[in-house]
Amino acid sequence: MKALYPLFADLDGRTVLVVGGGAVAERKARVLLNCGAAVRVGAPRLTRALRAWAEAGRLAHLDGPFQDDWLACAWLVVAATDDRALNARIKAAADARRILANVVDDPALSSFQVPAVVDRTPLTIAISSGGAAPVLARRLRERMESLFDPALGPLARLARDHRPAIRQAYPDHGARRRFYDWLYDGPVLEQLRADDAREAERMLLARLDEAGDEPAPPRTLRWIAPCPADPGDITLSQLRALNEADVLVHDTHINEAVLSLARRDADRRPLETDRHEDAGSREARVLALCAGYRNAVALVP
């Protein structure tokens, strides 16, 4: 099976067409309305909830059987009928207009899949099997619900609201990352768990006021040697080092799957190694390549 490209779409104010008026269409329309989409539902008959939303002006009802011109101005279309031939016609009409289409419970006809979601708005965790095993994706979502603290949503909103002030207080990327580590792991989260948003915000602002008084941390160089060829063999300690590194100094033969575990914005400095080279000479070359960086990781076979 081909891989799907993960995508989070901003549908605020954008037209999305849902074809079908039953319970499945109602479920899809509810999620789309919560995302701010301008929903149009096309069907001869609607559920009670869909009809109430249409009468309240929350969505537009296109009465009757599917017409190709319903796709005018649509960014996405969801086919939620129980007629596969009709769903195929909707998908073909969408393809002709370069509109992405999801056919509910029919990945073979769909050009995008709707994942199982753990909602901690604005934090969203999505799980997809590419349509191969939707029940498995749903079961994983159920397990993950218990893993992600409900306070993460308010924490993400707090970080969003103060992002400009955080960037101003911590212009250095490394210092800013350390602040976020404190924010996400420290007492602010505890206050949000206690439902005390005011105290959580006060603590955040107090930390920003102290930003200029914090001592600069020492520069670090972490060696991962010998570096595992299999990313599954990377330890938790090594994975944390990769996530904190500003630069990766790596042997040219290190597996890309291992390197991809690091931060995406980390710089990379390839290193040609020679098995006959003494350790002191190699260390000197590594130090030269990571000069100027706060946190460096060296990966060698």
Side-chain angles (χ1 to χ4, degrees):
M1 293 182 64
K2 63 182 181 296
L4 297 182
Y5 183 75
L7 179 70
F8 285 87
D10 179 3
L11 297 179
D12 188 36
R14 293 184 167 95
T15 299
V16 179
L17 172 66
V18 178
V19 183
V24 175
E26 177 186 320
R27 188 173 72 246
K28 299 296 182 180
R30 178 182 293 108
V31 175
L32 289 165
L33 288 170
N34 289 340
C35 292
V39 179
R40 306 169 74 194
V41 176
R45 292 176 298 279
L46 301 178
T47 65
R48 182 177 301 175
L50 286 172
R51 187 165 56 250
W53 294 340
E55 291 171 353
R58 294 191 63 196
L59 57 78
H61 177 209
L62 305 175
D63 194 3
F66 172 72
Q67 305 294 325
D68 287 10
D69 60 8
W70 286 2
L71 291 164
C73 301
W75 291 72
L76 295 175
V77 59
V78 177
T81 83
D82 56 4
D83 184 338
R84 194 170 196 271
L86 174 57
N87 289 340
R89 185 161 73 87
I90 296 168
K91 169 63 162 52
D95 285 348
R97 292 162 175 78
R98 300 180 181 178
I99 300 171
L100 292 176
N102 172 256
V103 179
V104 178
D105 292 333
D106 198 336
L109 281 181
S110 300
S111 52
F112 77 93
Q113 301 292 329
V114 178
V117 168
V118 178
D119 186 1
R120 299 290 184 270
T121 304
L123 180 68
T124 303
I125 302 101
I127 309 104
S128 173
S129 66
V135 174
L136 176 59
R138 189 198 70 215
R139 292 186 65 181
L140 288 174
R141 191 267 303 166
E142 291 170 352
R143 294 183 185 182
M144 293 174 73
E145 282 282 359
S146 64
L147 298 177
F148 291 94
D149 197 318
L152 290 177
L155 183 63
R157 290 193 290 274
L158 191 63
R160 175 198 61 196
D161 294 344
H162 294 281
R163 187 176 182 183
I166 293 169
R167 294 181 66 88
Q168 182 176 358
Y170 296 96
D172 175 72
H173 183 83
R176 188 160 63 246
R177 191 170 68 253
R178 289 189 295 276
F179 168 81
Y180 279 120
D181 287 341
W182 169 85
L183 176 64
Y184 296 145
D185 297 331
V188 171
L189 181 59
E190 291 299 325
Q191 294 302 321
L192 291 173
R193 285 172 178 157
D195 201 26
D196 193 344
R198 179 173 297 180
E199 177 62 15
E201 185 171 30
R202 188 201 67 76
M203 296 177 73
L204 182 152
L205 294 173
R207 180 76 176 221
L208 293 181
D209 289 340
E210 300 168 358
D213 301 328
E214 298 174 14
R219 298 183 186 276
T220 62
L221 170 59
R222 170 71 183 273
W223 289 81
I224 299 180
C227 182
D230 184 347
D233 293 332
I234 291 287
T235 68
L236 288 176
S237 175
Q238 291 169 339
L239 182 60
R240 183 172 182 83
L242 288 170
N243 285 322
E244 292 177 350
D246 302 310
V247 61
L248 306 178
V249 179
H250 63 91
D251 181 271
T252 54
H253 297 97
I254 295 297
N255 192 339
E256 174 61 31
V258 172
L259 298 176
S260 67
L261 296 175
R263 289 169 38 211
R264 293 186 180 181
D265 60 343
D267 289 336
R268 296 189 183 187
R269 296 289 183 266
L271 178 73
E272 290 284 354
T273 59
D274 182 346
R275 62 179 180 175
H276 301 297
E277 182 181 27
D278 64 86
S281 175
R282 184 177 63 181
E283 182 174 351
R285 292 201 296 133
V286 169
L287 289 171
L289 287 171
C290 65
Y293 291 93
R294 180 68 59 186
N295 293 309
V297 170
L299 303 99
V300 293

